[in-house]
Amino acid sequence: MVLHPDDAVALHDSPEREPWIGCCGPSGMYGPNQLCACGNPVGTLVADCLMQNELHLDPRRIWAEEMCAAVELAQP
């Protein structure tokens, strides 16, 4: 699944340097560089100057579910 980077507001950058190699931003060639709140890598941000800005989510680590079901799970 590919998203615009601004659509994944809950993710944060990996502290490791290697996934961020690129001349103006991460090239995406070195694996996952976006982490979920628990610290697990879930996607790869591609945002170097020679490429379009894209966030590639790892289908083995994320899944889609209906928003109403997610809201029901979050309520006490």
Side-chain angles (χ1 to χ4, degrees), residues 1-72:
M1 175 177 276
V2 178
L3 299 175
H4 187 280
D6 293 343
D7 291 335
V9 295
L11 300 182
H12 60 277
D13 300 339
S14 170
E16 296 179 28
R17 173 150 170 40
E18 187 174 86
W20 287 97
I21 295 174
C23 74
C24 297
S27 66
M29 295 173 55
Y30 299 97
N33 55 22
Q34 295 293 290
L35 309 176
C36 70
C38 65
N40 286 319
V42 294
T44 303
L45 176 63
V46 178
D48 199 11
C49 62
L50 299 175
M51 303 171 195
Q52 294 189 18
N53 291 353
E54 301 176 338
L55 175 63
H56 298 254
L57 297 175
D58 185 343
R60 297 168 297 168
R61 297 181 182 258
I62 59 106
W63 60 90
E65 67 180 41
E66 292 183 46
M67 188 60 167
C68 60
V71 171
E72 289 173 12

